[in-house]
């Protein structure tokens, strides 16, 4: 496959009936669910659907469109690649889908709607009907006289040309054209472009629960936008120091609270998460809460700060908890308790002895995403070898499942001294296939292939289904 086919973003909409992916080629591909209950079915069909049937969710291809094109910043002599960094669904209206997509510099607001293609099914002239000498009857306006300038006519208007006189009863071959709607096409239209607001690469966008605003974040600033206004944005967070040599940390991710429109969280490269309240001031330099875990004395090493950098943060659906992913762990935070995480999940602790190798091949800078189930009982994130791990997040839970994103999924065993494998989600699989044991690891339990990695995944908002992207392939797992 080509590099521009690699999936770089994935997102379910709020209903879970639509799924969007973005790739390095700047394309957005939409999928829609096909196994949902049909509200217009007859009573017998609805009664049959009331009987619980254990079937997996089915999604089919809906449409795709080119969201971004490669650009060149002539002022900075900088190429801007078309890769989609993030996709966020917006509120639907009038049976149309709305979503935001962004590359490194430009955010676009898209509307995807069904359009009926109208065609003329009956022409004005029936050529099958002929009169007289077998020629098709028609009204002729041609004359033997040359035309006059400006469309003038040499004859007076009251003396009509004999060619324009209709026979008694008219021409039976003339009929009114009929326009019918034949096909229904999905059309994606860019409603607005939000550009020239970020000096650094955009790493995240997030919709507000008010349905009117959203934020975009780069390394040093967070901007607040109104969906209807693309000419200006408000800078609400600015961590850029007066002297860039004093820069010690950057913003890595930002996310709005799911229900409180005045609250948002953003993470940093130093492993801290700041909660800010937009009601406090226009420029939110001061946070209302900070969540960070202090390192143990004497545990600091060359890699400590690198692996502490948070690559993704997600609120739980009820807004009570916050999930963060750094290079080695998942951490679950309670918004009411900023003293430390309520749970820490070791994702690939067996790689710690190989941090030097990971640093040399730049894998240590990979940005893995994380997600929570709709009920908040499970969390998930990706790893190397196209593996992803699902943990039980309830207090005291020892549940953990490791699966491979492939056509023949295999449940993997990864050495994890803190959380042995046990629990209910061990039945999670892709489609209806179940794989056997094939570890693909060396004698020490270390994954051999760092080039295959599962960075992007999303949990269905209401069901135990996970969509995950491995290179250019999209996989759906369910439990």
């Amino acid at each position: 496959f080509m590099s521009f086919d690699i999936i770089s973003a994935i997102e379910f909409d709020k209903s879970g009936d639509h799924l969007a992916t973005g790739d390095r080629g700047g394309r957005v591909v939409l999928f829609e669910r096909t196994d949902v209950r049909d509200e217009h079915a007859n009573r017998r069909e609805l009664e049959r659907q009331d009987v619980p049937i254990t079937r997996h969710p089915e999604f089919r291809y809906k449409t795709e469109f080119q969201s971004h094109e490669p650009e060149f910043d002539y002022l900075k002599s900088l190429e801007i690649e078309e890769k989609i960094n993030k996709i966020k669904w917006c509120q639907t209206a009038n049976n149309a889908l709305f979503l935001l997509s962004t590359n490194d510099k430009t955010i676009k607001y898209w509307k995807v709607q069904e359009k009926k293609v109208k065609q003329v099914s009956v022409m004005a002239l029936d050529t099958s009907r002929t009169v007289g000498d077998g020629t098709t009857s028609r009204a002729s306006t041609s004359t033997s006289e040359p035309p006059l300038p400006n469309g003038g006519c040499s004859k007076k208007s009251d003396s009509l040309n004999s060619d324009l006189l209709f026979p008694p009863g008219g021409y039976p071959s003339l009929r009114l054209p009929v326009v019918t709607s034949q096909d229904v096409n999905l059309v994606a239209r860019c409603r607005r472009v939000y550009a020239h607001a970020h000096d650094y690469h955009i790493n995240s966008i997030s919709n507000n629960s008010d349905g009117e605003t959203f934020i975009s974040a780069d390394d040093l600033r967070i901007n607040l936008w109104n969906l209807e206004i693309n000419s200006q944005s408000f800078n609400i967070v600015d961590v850029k120091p007066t002297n860039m040599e004093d820069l010690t940390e950057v913003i890595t991710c930002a996310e709005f609270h799911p229900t409180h429109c005045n609250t948002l969280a953003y993470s940093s490269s130093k492993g801290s998460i700041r909660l800010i309240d937009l009601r406090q001031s226009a420029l939110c330099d001061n946070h209302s809460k900070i969540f960070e875990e202090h390192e143990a004395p004497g545990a600091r090493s060359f890699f400590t700060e690198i692996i502490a950098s948070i690559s993704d943060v997600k609120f739980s659906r009820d807004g009570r908890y916050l999930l963060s992913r750094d290079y080695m762990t998942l951490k679950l935070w309670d918004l009411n308790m900023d003293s430390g995480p309520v749970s820490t999940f070791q994702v690939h602790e067996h790689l710690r002895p190989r941090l030097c190798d990971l640093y040399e091949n730049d894998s240590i800078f990979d940005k893995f995403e994380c997600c929570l189930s709709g009920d908040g009982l499970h969390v998930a994130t990706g790893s190397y070898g196209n593996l992803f791990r699902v943990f039980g997040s309830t207090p005291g839970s020892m549940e953990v499942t490791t699966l491979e994103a492939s056509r023949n999924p295999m449940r993997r065993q990864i050495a994890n001294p803190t959380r042995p494998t046990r629990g209910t989600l061990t039945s999670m699989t892709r489609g209806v296939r179940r794989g056997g044991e094939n570890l693909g690891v060396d004698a020490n339990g270390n994954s051999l292939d760092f080039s295959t990695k599962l960075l992007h995944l999303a949990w269905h908002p209401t069901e135990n289904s996970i969509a995950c992207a491995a290179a250019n392939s999209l996989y759906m797992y369910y439990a």
Side-chain angles (χ1 to χ4, degrees):
F1 61 90
M2 305 298 288
S3 62
F4 50 75
D5 290 327
I6 295 177
I7 296 173
S8 56
I10 183 168
E11 188 83 9
F12 280 105
D13 71 346
K14 192 169 286 188
S15 68
D17 293 337
H18 294 92
L19 177 68
T21 65
D23 62 26
R24 289 188 180 178
R27 293 166 300 198
V28 173
V29 183
L30 304 185
F31 300 87
E32 67 177 349
R33 189 165 182 176
T34 58
D35 64 313
V36 293
R37 177 170 171 156
D38 185 7
E39 298 297 334
H40 302 288
N42 58 45
R43 181 175 177 179
R44 181 170 295 180
E45 284 294 324
L46 292 175
E47 288 175 348
R48 189 178 301 156
Q49 291 178 14
D50 282 335
V51 180
I53 302 175
T54 55
R55 59 182 181 183
H56 61 276
E58 296 175 359
F59 284 79
R60 71 177 179 191
Y61 170 86
K62 185 177 180 73
T63 188
E64 68 179 81
F65 55 90
Q66 189 71 31
S67 174
H68 288 73
E69 300 281 358
E71 300 174 49
F72 190 80
D73 187 337
Y74 293 97
L75 292 176
K76 298 182 179 179
S77 296
L78 185 70
E79 289 186 1
I80 304 171
E81 62 178 349
E82 64 271 33
K83 180 174 79 81
I84 304 296
N85 289 343
K86 294 289 181 181
I87 296 175
K88 292 293 180 182
W89 289 91
C90 303
Q91 292 182 351
T92 59
N94 300 326
N95 293 323
L97 302 175
F98 295 87
L99 50 89
L100 289 166
S101 62
T102 183
N103 65 352
D104 286 339
K105 295 290 184 181
T106 306
I107 307 161
K108 295 186 178 182
Y109 183 43
W110 290 92
K111 177 182 181 181
V112 182
Q113 191 176 28
E114 290 184 348
K115 291 281 188 181
K116 292 183 178 179
V117 180
K118 295 184 178 180
Q119 295 179 338
V120 178
S121 61
V122 180
M123 299 301 293
L125 191 63
D126 185 0
T127 57
S128 64
R129 301 286 298 271
T130 59
V131 294
D133 58 353
T135 60
T136 304
S137 62
R138 58 189 177 92
S140 174
T141 59
S142 62
T143 64
S144 59
E145 297 183 8
L148 296 179
N150 298 323
C153 182
S154 61
K155 295 186 179 182
K156 296 182 180 180
S157 58
D158 55 350
S159 58
L160 291 173
N161 191 323
S162 60
D163 286 341
L164 297 177
L165 295 176
F166 286 88
Y171 286 101
S173 59
L174 276 177
R175 60 181 67 180
L176 289 174
V178 178
V179 178
T180 58
S181 298
Q182 300 286 348
D183 301 322
V184 176
N185 287 350
L186 278 165
V187 178
R189 188 164 63 91
C190 184
R191 294 285 303 274
R192 282 174 193 87
V193 177
Y194 313 90
H196 312 300
H198 288 277
D199 292 329
Y200 305 92
H201 290 178
I202 299 172
N203 55 47
S204 54
I205 53 176
S206 180
N207 301 86
N208 198 346
S209 58
D210 62 8
E212 297 178 359
T213 57
F214 71 94
I215 54 171
S216 57
D218 64 22
D219 290 346
L220 299 179
R221 294 186 177 97
I222 300 177
N223 292 334
L224 178 68
W225 300 83
N226 189 299
L227 280 169
E228 302 297 323
I229 303 170
N230 62 353
S231 58
Q232 66 174 350
S233 63
F234 297 97
N235 179 225
I236 55 175
V237 174
D238 189 348
V239 299
K240 184 178 181 180
T242 307
N243 184 358
M244 284 296 284
E245 293 181 357
D246 298 331
L247 182 66
T248 58
E249 63 180 331
V250 296
I251 299 169
T252 57
C253 185
E255 181 96 351
F256 257 121
H257 191 281
T259 55
H260 299 163
C261 63
N262 57 286
T263 304
L264 64 94
Y266 70 90
S267 59
S268 80
S269 57
K270 278 195 167 181
S272 62
I273 304 170
R274 290 172 173 84
L275 206 65
I276 60 175
D277 191 337
L278 298 178
R279 298 171 298 185
Q280 289 183 347
S281 64
L283 187 61
C284 302
D285 286 335
N286 298 318
H287 52 266
S288 56
K289 279 187 180 181
I290 183 169
F291 303 92
E292 56 186 352
E293 189 173 28
H294 300 286
E295 61 189 57
R300 188 171 182 81
S301 70
F302 173 78
F303 305 108
T304 300
E305 195 164 310
I306 299 175
I307 64 175
S309 178
I310 295 175
S311 56
D312 193 23
V313 292
K314 292 279 177 29
F315 279 99
S316 61
R317 199 176 186 193
D318 59 4
R320 170 73 185 273
Y321 296 96
L322 193 61
L323 182 68
S324 67
R325 169 71 203 263
D326 57 43
Y327 188 69
M328 298 297 292
T329 65
L330 270 177
K331 291 186 175 73
L332 188 66
W333 307 81
D334 188 333
L335 293 192
N336 298 327
M337 189 182 77
D338 54 5
S339 58
V342 292
S343 296
T344 299
F345 311 95
Q346 306 294 339
V347 179
H348 38 219
E349 187 64 21
H350 61 281
L351 296 181
R352 193 173 291 275
R354 303 189 62 177
L355 288 179
C356 189
D357 297 334
L358 294 163
Y359 177 77
E360 288 182 357
N361 62 23
D362 286 342
S363 294
I364 200 169
F365 302 106
D366 288 333
K367 300 183 185 307
F368 291 94
E369 294 180 0
C370 59
C371 58
L372 299 95
S373 61
D375 55 15
L377 299 180
H378 297 91
V379 296
T381 191
S383 183
Y384 293 102
N386 286 342
L387 301 178
F388 70 96
R389 311 199 73 191
V390 182
F391 301 92
S393 60
T394 53
S397 173
M398 302 294 285
E399 180 182 343
V400 57
T401 303
T402 304
L403 288 161
E404 179 187 23
S406 70
R407 293 184 179 273
N408 298 296
M410 303 163 191
R411 190 166 303 116
R412 302 297 187 101
Q413 302 293 329
I414 290 185
N416 191 347
T418 57
R419 287 179 175 268
T421 302
R422 181 174 69 84
T424 59
L425 273 185
T426 51
S427 63
M428 181 171 274
T429 184
R430 186 188 73 86
V432 293
R433 298 191 183 99
R434 297 175 188 272
E437 298 293 334
N438 183 7
L439 300 182
V441 294
D442 63 20
N444 297 321
N446 300 326
S447 177
L448 297 173
D449 189 4
F450 296 126
S451 63
T452 57
K453 47 202 168 195
L454 200 150
L455 301 176
H456 312 286
L457 74 172
W459 204 302
H460 191 282
T462 57
E463 298 179 356
N464 273 335
S465 301
I466 295 178
C468 53
N472 65 333
S473 300
L474 177 67
Y475 299 94
M476 187 78 67
Y477 289 78
Y478 71 99

